[in-house]
């Protein structure tokens, strides 16, 4: 196994155990894509056709309206960054994704992925576990957004996502917290 698939292999072995033959066959189907900084990876109103794994770099995920963009997530660690609802249910996504740094992705097209999961009879558990995690994260995110102040949300980032605060531009963090960059600056001054 080459070094480019070590992170995804480790991810699958930890999160979604497959038999060794199935894992090797799956990993052999992933291709490497290098994406330059500020390049769109995913655009709203298009169907997700690839399962993408972030191997290196930082990606922001956001919604966009006529007047503004609102960040909803950042990906900084080796993990899947695919809009699973769009990918699994063949729907158009409502999300956008953009590379904040140069990015290395591993990707596999939807049909190849489905064939390998069906062949090794692990598809249902992969999808079920993925959606359980996604739902749990979404509920926590929504709960926090509704019940906590901007300062409390920032404090949670300090505790749970300190790498975001070190690597992601502050105006993107402000958008994620749904505040202005100036408000973020005041919160940071109060806390430090």
């Amino acid at each position: 196994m080459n070094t480019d698939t070590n992170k995804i292999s480790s991810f699958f072995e930890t999160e979604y155990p497959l038999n060794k033959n199935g894992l090797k066959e799956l990993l052999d189907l992933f291709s490497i894509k290098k994406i330059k900084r500020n390049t769109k990876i995913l655009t709203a109103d298009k169907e997700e056709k690839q399962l993408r794994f972030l191997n290196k770099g930082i990606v922001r995920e956001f919604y966009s309206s006529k007047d503004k963009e609102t960040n909803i997530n950042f990906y900084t660690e080796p993990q899947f960054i695919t809009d699973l609802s769009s990918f699994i249910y063949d729907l158009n996504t409502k999300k956008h994704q953009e590379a904040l740094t140069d990015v290395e992705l591993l990707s596999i097209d939807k049909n190849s992925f489905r064939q390998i999961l069906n062949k090794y009879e692990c598809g249902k558990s992969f999808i079920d576990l993925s959606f359980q995690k996604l739902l749990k994260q979404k509920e926590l995110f929504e709960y926090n957004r509704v019940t906590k102040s901007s300062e409390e949300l920032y404090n949670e980032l300090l505790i749970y996502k300190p790498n975001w605060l070190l690597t992601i531009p502050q105006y993107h963090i402000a958008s994620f917290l749904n505040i202005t960059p100036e408000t973020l600056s005041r919160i940071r001054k109060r806390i430090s």
Side-chain angles (χ1 to χ4, degrees):
M1 186 171 308
N2 66 43
T3 56
D4 293 317
T5 59
N6 283 343
K7 291 176 185 173
I8 193 170
S9 174
S10 175
F11 183 89
F12 267 111
E13 288 171 0
T14 305
E15 301 290 327
Y16 307 104
L18 301 171
N19 68 43
K20 293 292 181 196
N21 293 335
L23 181 58
K24 167 117 179 62
E25 195 172 331
L26 174 65
L27 295 178
D28 288 344
L29 294 173
F30 277 89
S31 60
I32 298 171
K33 291 186 179 183
K34 306 268 185 180
I35 310 277
K36 291 286 183 198
R37 180 178 183 248
N38 297 327
T39 302
K40 283 265 185 102
I41 298 168
L42 178 66
T43 305
D45 299 321
K46 293 187 178 172
E47 185 182 323
E48 185 78 90
K49 301 245 185 220
Q50 296 190 328
L51 183 66
R52 292 181 318 282
F53 185 85
L54 177 64
N55 218 25
K56 294 178 188 163
I58 301 172
V59 172
R60 79 176 177 116
E61 187 170 74
F62 61 99
Y63 292 124
S64 180
S65 67
K66 197 167 73 170
D67 358 333
K68 82 177 202 178
E69 294 177 352
T70 302
N71 292 315
I72 56 172
N73 203 355
F74 299 101
Y75 300 98
T76 58
E77 300 169 6
Q79 63 185 302
F80 284 99
I81 64 169
T82 300
D83 179 344
L84 288 176
S85 294
S86 173
F87 183 78
I88 291 168
Y89 296 117
D90 304 321
L91 301 170
N92 286 348
T93 183
K94 292 177 176 44
K95 301 174 182 180
H96 297 270
Q97 290 179 345
E98 179 184 45
L100 289 182
T101 62
D102 288 348
V103 165
E104 181 181 278
L105 298 176
L106 299 176
S107 62
I108 181 174
D109 75 86
K110 187 185 296 194
N111 292 332
S112 299
F113 181 71
R114 286 177 174 168
Q115 288 171 359
I116 198 89
L117 292 183
N118 289 334
K119 179 178 177 180
Y120 290 98
E121 298 179 355
C122 58
K124 183 169 174 19
S125 66
F126 175 83
I127 290 166
D128 288 348
L129 288 171
S130 297
F131 269 105
Q132 286 172 14
K133 285 184 176 189
L134 186 66
L135 183 60
K136 189 175 182 181
Q137 289 170 347
K138 184 176 173 151
E139 285 180 357
L140 181 60
F141 178 74
E142 289 172 357
Y143 175 79
N144 285 341
R145 277 258 163 114
V146 170
T147 63
K148 295 188 177 176
S149 70
S150 301
E151 191 163 327
E152 289 171 317
L153 292 172
Y154 184 80
N155 277 325
E156 286 196 354
L157 289 181
L158 280 171
I159 295 166
Y160 299 110
K161 299 286 186 180
N163 60 326
W164 286 15
L165 301 175
L166 296 173
T167 58
I168 295 168
Q170 293 302 298
Y171 67 95
H172 282 309
I173 296 293
S175 169
F176 176 79
L177 296 172
N178 207 18
I179 58 176
T180 65
E182 295 77 22
T183 301
L184 176 59
S185 181
R186 285 192 294 274
I187 289 171
R188 292 176 67 204
K189 283 180 186 168
R190 273 196 307 269
I191 290 175
S192 54

